[in-house]
Protein backbone atom coordinates (compact mmCIF):
# COMPACT_ATOMS: atom_id res chain seq x y z
CA UNK A 1 0.00 0.00 0.00
CA UNK A 2 2.81 2.39 0.96
CA UNK A 3 4.66 1.61 -2.27
CA UNK A 4 1.61 2.47 -4.36
CA UNK A 5 1.02 5.66 -2.44
CA UNK A 6 4.66 6.69 -2.76
CA UNK A 7 4.50 6.09 -6.50
CA UNK A 8 1.32 8.15 -6.63
CA UNK A 9 2.96 11.05 -4.82
CA UNK A 10 6.11 10.87 -6.93
CA UNK A 11 3.85 11.20 -9.97
CA UNK A 12 2.13 14.13 -8.34
CA UNK A 13 5.45 15.83 -7.63
CA UNK A 14 6.42 15.39 -11.28
CA UNK A 15 3.18 17.09 -12.22
CA UNK A 16 4.08 19.96 -9.85
CA UNK A 17 7.41 20.44 -11.60
CA UNK A 18 5.76 20.46 -15.02
CA UNK A 19 3.58 23.40 -14.01
CA UNK A 20 6.65 25.62 -14.13
CA UNK A 21 5.91 28.34 -11.56
CA UNK A 22 8.23 31.28 -11.17
CA UNK A 23 8.46 32.02 -7.46
CA UNK A 24 10.89 34.94 -7.52
CA UNK A 25 8.73 37.97 -8.15
CA UNK A 26 8.56 41.49 -6.81
CA UNK A 27 4.98 42.25 -5.81
CA UNK A 28 3.51 45.66 -5.22
CA UNK A 29 -0.03 46.75 -4.42
CA UNK A 30 -2.26 47.20 -7.43
CA UNK A 31 -2.02 50.49 -9.36
CA UNK A 32 -4.09 53.24 -7.81
CA UNK A 33 -5.40 56.58 -9.10
CA UNK A 34 -3.37 59.10 -11.07
CA UNK A 35 -0.38 60.95 -9.67
CA UNK A 36 -1.93 64.26 -10.68
CA UNK A 37 -5.02 63.67 -8.52
CA UNK A 38 -2.92 62.58 -5.54
CA UNK A 39 -0.69 65.63 -5.90
CA UNK A 40 -3.81 67.78 -5.51
CA UNK A 41 -4.46 66.08 -2.15
CA UNK A 42 -0.86 66.72 -1.09
CA UNK A 43 -1.16 70.38 -2.11
CA UNK A 44 -4.48 70.71 -0.26
CA UNK A 45 -3.06 69.43 3.02
CA UNK A 46 0.11 71.51 2.71
CA UNK A 47 -1.58 74.74 1.61
CA UNK A 48 -3.54 75.48 4.79
CA UNK A 49 -2.89 75.37 8.55
CA UNK A 50 -4.67 72.01 8.87
CA UNK A 51 -1.81 69.69 8.00
CA UNK A 52 1.81 69.26 6.98
CA UNK A 53 3.06 66.40 4.79
CA UNK A 54 6.06 68.26 3.37
CA UNK A 55 8.30 65.50 4.76
CA UNK A 56 7.22 63.32 1.83
CA UNK A 57 8.01 63.43 -1.87
CA UNK A 58 5.51 61.78 -4.22
CA UNK A 59 7.01 59.29 -6.67
CA UNK A 60 5.15 57.71 -9.58
CA UNK A 61 6.63 54.76 -11.45
CA UNK A 62 4.50 52.99 -14.09
CA UNK A 63 1.32 53.69 -12.16
CA UNK A 64 2.88 52.68 -8.82
CA UNK A 65 2.44 55.64 -6.48
CA UNK A 66 4.38 55.93 -3.26
CA UNK A 67 5.99 58.43 -0.93
CA UNK A 68 9.67 58.73 -0.09
CA UNK A 69 11.34 60.73 2.64
CA UNK A 70 12.18 64.27 1.51
CA UNK A 71 15.10 64.40 3.98
CA UNK A 72 16.75 62.35 6.72
CA UNK A 73 14.78 61.63 9.90
CA UNK A 74 15.77 60.25 13.29
CA UNK A 75 13.84 57.56 15.14
CA UNK A 76 10.90 59.07 17.04
CA UNK A 77 10.84 62.27 14.99
CA UNK A 78 7.39 63.39 13.79
CA UNK A 79 7.17 63.41 10.00
CA UNK A 80 3.69 64.65 9.23
CA UNK A 81 0.25 65.48 10.61
CA UNK A 82 -3.28 65.76 9.21
CA UNK A 83 -6.01 67.74 10.96
CA UNK A 84 -9.39 66.15 11.75
CA UNK A 85 -11.04 68.47 9.20
CA UNK A 86 -9.47 66.37 6.44
CA UNK A 87 -10.63 63.05 7.91
CA UNK A 88 -13.68 61.32 6.52
CA UNK A 89 -15.69 58.57 8.16
CA UNK A 90 -18.25 57.73 10.83
CA UNK A 91 -17.20 60.85 12.76
CA UNK A 92 -19.18 62.99 10.31
CA UNK A 93 -22.32 61.03 9.42
CA UNK A 94 -25.35 62.98 8.17
CA UNK A 95 -27.33 64.34 11.14
CA UNK A 96 -30.34 62.11 10.46
CA UNK A 97 -28.29 58.91 10.66
CA UNK A 98 -27.18 57.10 13.82
CA UNK A 99 -26.28 53.60 15.01
CA UNK A 100 -25.17 51.69 18.10
CA UNK A 101 -21.71 53.18 18.55
CA UNK A 102 -20.40 50.01 20.19
CA UNK A 103 -21.42 47.76 17.28
CA UNK A 104 -18.33 47.49 15.06
CA UNK A 105 -20.29 45.77 12.26
CA UNK A 106 -22.73 48.68 12.00
CA UNK A 107 -19.85 51.13 12.28
CA UNK A 108 -18.16 49.55 9.24
CA UNK A 109 -21.34 49.58 7.18
CA UNK A 110 -22.24 53.15 8.23
CA UNK A 111 -18.84 54.23 6.97
CA UNK A 112 -19.45 52.55 3.62
CA UNK A 113 -22.90 54.16 3.27
CA UNK A 114 -21.51 57.57 4.20
CA UNK A 115 -18.77 57.09 1.58
CA UNK A 116 -21.36 56.33 -1.10
CA UNK A 117 -23.48 59.35 -0.15
CA UNK A 118 -20.48 61.67 -0.07
CA UNK A 119 -19.15 60.45 -3.40
CA UNK A 120 -22.58 61.01 -4.95
CA UNK A 121 -22.23 64.74 -4.18
CA UNK A 122 -19.39 64.96 -6.70
CA UNK A 123 -17.66 68.35 -6.78
CA UNK A 124 -20.01 69.67 -4.07
CA UNK A 125 -18.51 67.36 -1.48
CA UNK A 126 -16.17 68.92 1.07
CA UNK A 127 -13.94 65.87 0.47
CA UNK A 128 -14.16 65.90 -3.34
CA UNK A 129 -10.41 66.38 -3.92
CA UNK A 130 -9.62 63.41 -1.71
CA UNK A 131 -12.39 61.19 -3.13
CA UNK A 132 -11.36 62.00 -6.71
CA UNK A 133 -7.83 60.64 -6.18
CA UNK A 134 -9.06 57.20 -5.11
CA UNK A 135 -8.61 54.41 -7.68
CA UNK A 136 -11.28 53.16 -10.04
CA UNK A 137 -11.09 49.52 -8.95
CA UNK A 138 -13.95 48.54 -11.26
CA UNK A 139 -12.53 49.62 -14.61
CA UNK A 140 -8.89 48.92 -13.71
CA UNK A 141 -9.90 45.43 -12.46
CA UNK A 142 -7.38 45.89 -9.66
CA UNK A 143 -9.33 43.74 -7.19
CA UNK A 144 -10.52 40.14 -7.71
CA UNK A 145 -14.16 41.22 -7.23
CA UNK A 146 -13.74 42.92 -10.62
CA UNK A 147 -11.20 40.72 -12.34
CA UNK A 148 -11.78 39.66 -15.93
CA UNK A 149 -13.31 36.25 -16.61
CA UNK A 150 -9.92 35.15 -17.92
CA UNK A 151 -8.21 35.98 -14.61
CA UNK A 152 -10.95 34.23 -12.64
CA UNK A 153 -10.66 31.14 -14.85
CA UNK A 154 -6.93 31.07 -14.08
CA UNK A 155 -7.58 30.65 -10.33
CA UNK A 156 -10.75 28.55 -10.67
CA UNK A 157 -8.98 25.45 -9.35
CA UNK A 158 -7.85 27.15 -6.14
CA UNK A 159 -9.75 27.34 -2.86
CA UNK A 160 -9.36 31.13 -3.11
CA UNK A 161 -11.77 31.16 -6.05
CA UNK A 162 -14.79 29.90 -4.11
CA UNK A 163 -13.78 31.87 -1.00
CA UNK A 164 -13.70 35.11 -3.01
CA UNK A 165 -17.11 34.41 -4.49
CA UNK A 166 -18.50 33.84 -1.00
CA UNK A 167 -16.81 37.00 0.28
CA UNK A 168 -18.35 38.99 -2.56
CA UNK A 169 -21.86 37.76 -1.70
CA UNK A 170 -21.35 38.37 2.01
CA UNK A 171 -20.12 41.92 1.41
CA UNK A 172 -23.34 42.84 -0.36
CA UNK A 173 -25.56 41.01 2.16
CA UNK A 174 -23.85 42.71 5.12
CA UNK A 175 -24.48 46.15 3.64
CA UNK A 176 -28.18 45.55 3.00
CA UNK A 177 -28.69 43.94 6.41
CA UNK A 178 -27.10 46.93 8.15
CA UNK A 179 -29.42 49.45 6.48
CA UNK A 180 -32.32 48.20 8.59
CA UNK A 181 -30.29 48.62 11.80
CA UNK A 182 -28.83 52.08 11.15
CA UNK A 183 -31.35 54.75 12.07
CA UNK A 184 -32.26 56.86 9.05
CA UNK A 185 -30.56 54.52 6.56
CA UNK A 186 -33.48 52.38 5.36
CA UNK A 187 -34.51 55.04 2.83
CA UNK A 188 -31.28 54.41 0.92
CA UNK A 189 -32.18 50.79 0.15
CA UNK A 190 -31.92 50.41 -3.62
CA UNK A 191 -30.06 53.71 -3.99
CA UNK A 192 -26.77 52.11 -5.01
CA UNK A 193 -25.91 49.18 -7.26
CA UNK A 194 -24.13 46.06 -6.05
CA UNK A 195 -21.09 47.16 -8.05
CA UNK A 196 -21.02 50.53 -6.28
CA UNK A 197 -21.42 48.84 -2.87
CA UNK A 198 -18.54 46.46 -3.58
CA UNK A 199 -16.29 49.27 -4.79
CA UNK A 200 -17.08 51.44 -1.76
CA UNK A 201 -16.48 48.51 0.60
CA UNK A 202 -13.09 47.81 -0.94
CA UNK A 203 -11.96 51.44 -0.94
CA UNK A 204 -13.05 52.00 2.66
CA UNK A 205 -11.88 48.72 4.18
CA UNK A 206 -8.46 48.90 2.54
CA UNK A 207 -7.78 52.42 3.88
CA UNK A 208 -9.60 52.68 7.19
CA UNK A 209 -8.03 53.81 10.46
CA UNK A 210 -9.80 53.43 13.81
CA UNK A 211 -9.73 56.41 16.17
CA UNK A 212 -10.99 56.85 19.70
CA UNK A 213 -10.97 54.61 22.76
CA UNK A 214 -14.40 54.18 24.37
CA UNK A 215 -16.28 55.35 21.28
CA UNK A 216 -14.43 54.22 18.15
CA UNK A 217 -14.88 55.84 14.74
CA UNK A 218 -13.65 54.66 11.35
CA UNK A 219 -11.88 57.34 9.31
CA UNK A 220 -10.00 57.71 6.05
CA UNK A 221 -6.82 59.74 6.47
CA UNK A 222 -5.50 61.48 3.33
CA UNK A 223 -1.83 60.78 2.52
CA UNK A 224 -1.40 58.26 5.35
CA UNK A 225 -3.64 55.81 3.47
CA UNK A 226 -1.13 55.73 0.59
CA UNK A 227 1.71 54.25 2.66
CA UNK A 228 2.51 50.85 1.24
CA UNK A 229 2.61 47.63 3.22
CA UNK A 230 5.42 45.63 4.76
CA UNK A 231 5.10 42.56 6.95
CA UNK A 232 4.98 43.38 10.70
CA UNK A 233 8.37 41.64 11.15
CA UNK A 234 10.00 43.44 8.23
CA UNK A 235 12.76 45.99 8.63
CA UNK A 236 11.15 47.91 5.75
CA UNK A 237 8.61 49.45 8.15
CA UNK A 238 9.77 52.95 9.02
CA UNK A 239 6.72 54.90 10.27
CA UNK A 240 4.10 54.63 12.98
CA UNK A 241 0.69 56.34 12.72
CA UNK A 242 -0.63 57.95 15.91
CA UNK A 243 -4.12 58.97 16.97
CA UNK A 244 -4.01 62.42 18.60
CA UNK A 245 -7.71 63.19 18.32
CA UNK A 246 -8.13 64.44 21.88
CA UNK A 247 -8.32 68.19 22.53
CA UNK A 248 -6.56 70.42 21.75
CA UNK A 249 -4.64 68.75 18.87
CA UNK A 250 -7.37 66.69 17.14
CA UNK A 251 -5.16 65.30 14.45
CA UNK A 252 -3.47 62.17 13.11
CA UNK A 253 0.32 62.10 13.05
CA UNK A 254 3.06 59.76 11.93
CA UNK A 255 6.58 59.43 13.28
CA UNK A 256 9.74 57.58 12.32
CA UNK A 257 9.88 54.10 13.87
CA UNK A 258 13.61 54.00 13.03
CA UNK A 259 16.14 56.25 11.34
CA UNK A 260 15.05 57.07 7.77
CA UNK A 261 17.32 58.16 4.93
CA UNK A 262 16.32 60.72 2.32
CA UNK A 263 14.72 58.99 -0.69
CA UNK A 264 13.71 55.87 1.27
CA UNK A 265 10.16 54.69 0.62
CA UNK A 266 7.72 55.31 3.47
CA UNK A 267 6.21 52.01 4.61
CA UNK A 268 3.60 51.17 7.19
CA UNK A 269 2.18 47.72 7.96
CA UNK A 270 -1.38 46.57 7.28
CA UNK A 271 -0.97 43.74 9.79
CA UNK A 272 -0.12 40.04 9.72
CA UNK A 273 -2.05 38.65 6.73
CA UNK A 274 -1.95 35.60 4.50
CA UNK A 275 -1.91 36.19 0.75
CA UNK A 276 -5.60 35.36 0.54
CA UNK A 277 -6.39 38.00 3.16
CA UNK A 278 -4.18 40.55 1.40
CA UNK A 279 -5.89 39.76 -1.91
CA UNK A 280 -9.38 39.90 -0.42
CA UNK A 281 -8.88 43.22 1.40
CA UNK A 282 -6.23 45.06 -0.60
CA UNK A 283 -6.00 43.36 -3.98
CA UNK A 284 -2.33 42.30 -3.88
CA UNK A 285 -0.17 39.40 -2.70
CA UNK A 286 3.39 39.04 -1.39
CA UNK A 287 6.04 36.58 -2.57
CA UNK A 288 7.00 33.80 -0.14
CA UNK A 289 4.48 35.03 2.40
CA UNK A 290 5.29 33.17 5.64
CA UNK A 291 1.77 33.86 6.93
CA UNK A 292 0.01 31.83 4.24
CA UNK A 293 -2.46 29.18 5.34
CA UNK A 294 -4.56 26.66 3.44
CA UNK A 295 -7.46 24.51 4.61
CA UNK A 296 -7.20 20.92 3.35
CA UNK A 297 -10.29 18.79 4.11
CA UNK A 298 -9.84 15.04 4.62
CA UNK A 299 -11.44 12.00 6.26
CA UNK A 300 -9.71 10.44 9.26
CA UNK A 301 -9.31 6.71 9.94
CA UNK A 302 -12.85 6.56 11.37
CA UNK A 303 -14.36 8.20 8.31
CA UNK A 304 -15.01 11.52 10.06
CA UNK A 305 -14.66 14.73 8.06
CA UNK A 306 -11.83 16.90 9.30
CA UNK A 307 -9.62 19.68 8.01
CA UNK A 308 -5.86 20.14 8.15
CA UNK A 309 -4.81 23.79 8.26
CA UNK A 310 -1.47 24.02 6.48
CA UNK A 311 0.50 26.96 7.88
CA UNK A 312 3.51 28.03 5.91
CA UNK A 313 5.34 29.55 8.86
CA UNK A 314 5.07 26.23 10.74
CA UNK A 315 6.01 23.94 7.88
CA UNK A 316 9.20 25.74 6.94
CA UNK A 317 11.73 23.96 4.72
CA UNK A 318 11.23 20.40 3.55
CA UNK A 319 13.12 17.46 5.04
CA UNK A 320 13.36 18.74 8.62
CA UNK A 321 12.15 16.50 11.48
CA UNK A 322 10.81 19.50 13.36
CA UNK A 323 8.64 20.35 10.35
CA UNK A 324 7.17 16.84 10.45
CA UNK A 325 6.41 17.34 14.15
CA UNK A 326 4.64 20.62 13.31
CA UNK A 327 2.67 18.77 10.64
CA UNK A 328 1.75 15.95 13.05
CA UNK A 329 0.56 18.47 15.62
CA UNK A 330 -2.18 19.45 13.19
CA UNK A 331 -3.36 15.95 12.28
CA UNK A 332 -2.87 13.58 15.24
CA UNK A 333 -4.99 13.15 18.39
CA UNK A 334 -4.00 11.67 21.79
CA UNK A 335 -5.63 8.30 20.99
CA UNK A 336 -3.07 7.86 18.18
CA UNK A 337 -0.12 7.84 20.60
CA UNK A 338 0.54 4.12 20.19
CA UNK A 339 -1.09 3.64 16.80
CA UNK A 340 1.51 4.60 14.18
CA UNK A 341 -0.44 2.76 11.48
CA UNK A 342 -3.43 5.06 12.15
CA UNK A 343 -1.11 8.08 12.03
CA UNK A 344 0.20 6.99 8.64
CA UNK A 345 -3.30 6.32 7.40
CA UNK A 346 -4.26 9.85 8.44
CA UNK A 347 -1.20 11.23 6.68
CA UNK A 348 -2.21 9.37 3.51
CA UNK A 349 -5.71 10.88 3.69
CA UNK A 350 -4.26 14.40 3.97
CA UNK A 351 -1.85 13.64 1.11
CA UNK A 352 -4.63 12.33 -1.11
CA UNK A 353 -6.67 15.48 -0.51
CA UNK A 354 -3.62 17.66 -1.25
CA UNK A 355 -3.02 15.68 -4.44
CA UNK A 356 -6.64 16.18 -5.54
CA UNK A 357 -6.51 19.90 -4.84
CA UNK A 358 -3.21 20.30 -6.65
CA UNK A 359 -4.43 18.38 -9.68
CA UNK A 360 -7.52 20.60 -9.81
CA UNK A 361 -5.40 23.75 -9.93
CA UNK A 362 -3.20 22.31 -12.67
CA UNK A 363 -6.01 20.87 -14.77
CA UNK A 364 -8.24 23.94 -14.74
CA UNK A 365 -5.33 26.20 -15.56
CA UNK A 366 -3.83 24.04 -18.31
CA UNK A 367 -7.22 23.53 -19.95
CA UNK A 368 -7.36 27.25 -20.73
CA UNK A 369 -3.86 28.73 -20.59
CA UNK A 370 -0.27 27.92 -21.48
CA UNK A 371 1.64 30.27 -19.18
CA UNK A 372 1.28 32.33 -16.02
CA UNK A 373 3.31 35.14 -17.56
CA UNK A 374 0.21 36.72 -19.13
CA UNK A 375 -1.39 37.38 -15.75
CA UNK A 376 -0.97 40.12 -13.16
CA UNK A 377 1.14 39.49 -10.02
CA UNK A 378 -1.92 38.99 -7.73
CA UNK A 379 -3.28 36.22 -9.99
CA UNK A 380 0.10 34.51 -10.07
CA UNK A 381 0.62 35.13 -6.36
CA UNK A 382 -2.53 33.39 -5.15
CA UNK A 383 -1.88 30.34 -7.35
CA UNK A 384 1.75 30.13 -6.22
CA UNK A 385 0.72 30.44 -2.56
CA UNK A 386 -1.59 27.43 -2.71
CA UNK A 387 0.78 25.38 -4.86
CA UNK A 388 3.69 25.99 -2.49
CA UNK A 389 1.69 24.86 0.54
CA UNK A 390 0.36 21.78 -1.27
CA UNK A 391 3.89 20.87 -2.39
CA UNK A 392 5.18 21.17 1.15
CA UNK A 393 2.32 19.08 2.55
CA UNK A 394 3.00 16.40 -0.06
CA UNK A 395 6.65 16.23 1.02
CA UNK A 396 5.69 15.96 4.69
CA UNK A 397 3.20 13.19 3.91
CA UNK A 398 6.03 11.29 2.24
CA UNK A 399 8.12 11.80 5.39
CA UNK A 400 5.27 10.58 7.56
CA UNK A 401 4.54 7.35 5.72
CA UNK A 402 8.21 6.46 5.13
CA UNK A 403 9.46 7.11 8.68
CA UNK A 404 10.35 4.06 10.76
CA UNK A 405 7.64 3.14 13.26
CA UNK A 406 9.78 3.71 16.37
CA UNK A 407 10.88 7.16 15.23
CA UNK A 408 7.37 8.09 14.12
CA UNK A 409 6.03 7.19 17.59
CA UNK A 410 8.63 9.53 19.13
CA UNK A 411 7.62 12.35 16.82
CA UNK A 412 3.91 11.84 17.53
CA UNK A 413 4.68 11.95 21.25
CA UNK A 414 6.66 15.17 20.82
CA UNK A 415 3.85 16.72 18.74
CA UNK A 416 1.24 15.88 21.39
CA UNK A 417 3.45 17.20 24.20
CA UNK A 418 3.95 20.50 22.39
CA UNK A 419 0.24 20.82 21.73
CA UNK A 420 -0.57 20.02 25.37
CA UNK A 421 1.93 22.63 26.61
CA UNK A 422 0.44 25.25 24.32
CA UNK A 423 -3.08 24.46 25.55
CA UNK A 424 -1.93 24.84 29.18
CA UNK A 425 -0.32 28.19 28.36
CA UNK A 426 -3.54 29.42 26.79
CA UNK A 427 -5.55 28.29 29.81
CA UNK A 428 -3.20 30.14 32.18
CA UNK A 429 -3.60 33.32 30.15
Amino acid sequence: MIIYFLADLVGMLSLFLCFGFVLARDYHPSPTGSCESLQLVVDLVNSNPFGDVSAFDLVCDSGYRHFVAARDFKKGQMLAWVDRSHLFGTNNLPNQMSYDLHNHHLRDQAHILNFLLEKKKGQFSHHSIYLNHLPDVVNTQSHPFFWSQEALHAISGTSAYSDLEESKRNTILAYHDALSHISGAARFEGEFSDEAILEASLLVNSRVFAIGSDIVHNVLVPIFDIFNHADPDSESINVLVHNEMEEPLQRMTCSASRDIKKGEEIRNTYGAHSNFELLQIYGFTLPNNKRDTLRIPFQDASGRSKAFIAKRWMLGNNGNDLNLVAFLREVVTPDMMDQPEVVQQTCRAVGQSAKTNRASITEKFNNNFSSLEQFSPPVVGIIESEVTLLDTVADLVLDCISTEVALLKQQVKMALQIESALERSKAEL
Side-chain angles (χ1 to χ4, degrees):
M1 180 64 126
I2 291 178
I3 293 175
Y4 290 135
F5 190 78
L6 286 170
D8 227 4
L9 281 177
V10 169
M12 177 171 67
L13 290 172
S14 299
L15 181 63
F16 297 165
L17 295 173
C18 288
F19 209 126
F21 287 115
V22 181
L23 292 174
R25 286 176 176 269
D26 184 20
Y27 286 37
H28 292 301
S30 303
T32 53
S34 70
C35 271
E36 292 78 9
S37 62
L38 179 54
Q39 187 61 54
L40 291 176
V41 180
V42 175
D43 294 342
L44 172 68
V45 176
N46 279 330
S47 66
N48 61 51
F50 300 114
D52 181 3
V53 291
S54 58
F56 308 133
D57 286 334
L58 175 61
V59 176
C60 295
D61 181 15
S62 301
Y64 173 54
R65 308 183 305 176
H66 61 282
F67 287 112
V68 299
R71 53 188 181 277
D72 290 349
F73 291 94
K74 292 293 184 181
K75 179 179 179 179
Q77 187 175 351
M78 188 173 80
L79 277 71
W81 63 278
V82 178
D83 182 78
R84 68 170 296 163
S85 62
H86 290 301
L87 310 185
F88 172 73
T90 52
N91 59 324
N92 52 8
L93 287 174
N95 292 331
Q96 66 273 32
M97 282 173 53
S98 62
Y99 63 96
D100 177 358
L101 296 176
H102 296 284
N103 188 318
H104 68 88
H105 167 68
L106 292 182
R107 181 176 71 238
D108 294 344
Q109 299 306 318
H111 195 186
I112 292 166
L113 174 58
N114 197 26
F115 180 92
L116 287 164
L117 293 172
E118 196 69 22
K119 194 172 182 182
K120 188 177 179 181
K121 295 178 184 177
Q123 63 180 339
F124 299 105
S125 167
H126 170 68
H127 301 278
S128 61
I129 292 179
Y130 170 72
L131 295 176
N132 286 341
H133 103 278
L134 296 177
D136 179 356
V137 295
V138 178
N139 291 318
T140 60
Q141 299 180 348
S142 57
H143 189 278
F145 284 177
F146 302 106
W147 278 356
S148 67
Q149 285 302 308
E150 184 179 51
L152 291 174
H153 279 314
I155 68 164
S156 61
T158 67
S159 62
Y161 177 78
S162 56
D163 290 343
L164 285 167
E165 287 299 305
E166 182 179 3
S167 175
K168 189 174 181 179
R169 290 191 298 271
N170 289 340
T171 298
I172 295 170
L173 289 173
Y175 170 84
H176 290 295
D177 177 67
L179 291 187
S180 61
H181 295 92
I182 300 173
S183 178
R187 69 185 186 278
F188 297 114
E189 184 63 71
E191 180 82 11
F192 302 102
S193 67
D194 287 350
E195 184 178 272
I197 294 166
L198 287 171
E199 181 180 33
S201 298
L202 296 173
L203 291 173
V204 168
N205 293 334
S206 62
R207 287 167 169 73
V208 68
F209 289 84
I211 62 173
S213 51
D214 181 36
I215 302 299
V216 177
H217 288 290
N218 288 356
V219 294
L220 303 183
V221 184
I223 309 304
F224 292 5
D225 65 352
I226 295 296
F227 299 159
N228 283 319
H229 167 69
D231 185 86
D233 295 336
S234 171
E235 295 181 358
S236 298
I237 299 172
N238 50 22
V239 295
L240 295 173
V241 175
H242 308 281
N243 172 11
E244 297 183 1
M245 294 303 293
E246 302 299 326
E247 298 283 357
L249 296 176
Q250 295 191 303
R251 65 184 185 178
M252 297 288 284
T253 67
C254 74
S255 63
S257 61
R258 58 170 174 77
D259 290 352
I260 304 175
K261 294 293 185 182
K262 178 181 178 180
E264 185 179 344
E265 181 175 355
I266 301 300
R267 283 190 177 271
N268 192 9
T269 181
Y270 302 168
H273 296 296
S274 67
N275 268 348
F276 175 75
E277 291 168 332
L278 289 172
L279 183 67
Q280 181 184 33
I281 303 170
Y282 305 103
F284 67 91
T285 57
L286 296 175
N288 304 314
N289 188 345
K290 66 180 181 181
R291 304 187 188 277
D292 274 340
T293 62
L294 183 64
R295 183 179 183 274
I296 302 177
F298 70 97
Q299 286 192 327
D300 68 9
S302 302
R304 293 171 296 185
S305 295
K306 290 190 174 182
F308 165 62
I309 307 300
K311 302 173 183 177
R312 185 164 181 164
W313 67 271
M314 287 181 60
L315 300 178
N317 298 319
N318 300 337
N320 186 311
D321 286 345
L322 289 177
N323 296 333
L324 179 55
V325 171
F327 171 67
L328 291 172
R329 273 185 55 206
E330 298 291 324
V331 298
V332 301
T333 53
D335 59 307
M336 297 181 187
M337 176 75 80
D338 297 312
Q339 300 184 69
E341 69 284 353
V342 176
V343 173
Q344 290 183 329
Q345 186 177 346
T346 302
C347 289
R348 290 190 196 98
V350 173
Q352 185 59 49
S353 182
K355 173 187 175 182
T356 301
N357 291 357
R358 184 59 177 80
S360 174
I361 295 174
T362 306
E363 180 183 355
K364 292 187 177 180
F365 185 91
N366 288 342
N367 283 346
N368 297 284
F369 312 103
S370 58
S371 170
L372 280 170
E373 296 301 318
Q374 67 193 84
F375 294 103
S376 65
V379 175
V380 178
I382 204 63
I383 294 176
E384 289 179 347
S385 291
E386 293 200 14
V387 165
T388 300
L389 278 170
L390 291 169
D391 285 357
T392 305
V393 169
D395 287 342
L396 290 169
V397 167
L398 283 171
D399 288 345
C400 174
I401 63 179
S402 60
T403 298
E404 292 183 0
V405 169
L407 179 57
L408 182 60
K409 289 175 71 173
Q410 291 178 9
Q411 291 171 328
V412 169
K413 182 178 180 180
M414 187 185 302
L416 292 171
Q417 287 174 338
I418 293 173
E419 191 64 25
S420 178
L422 289 174
E423 290 299 323
R424 286 197 302 271
S425 297
K426 290 179 183 177
E428 290 172 2
L429 292 175

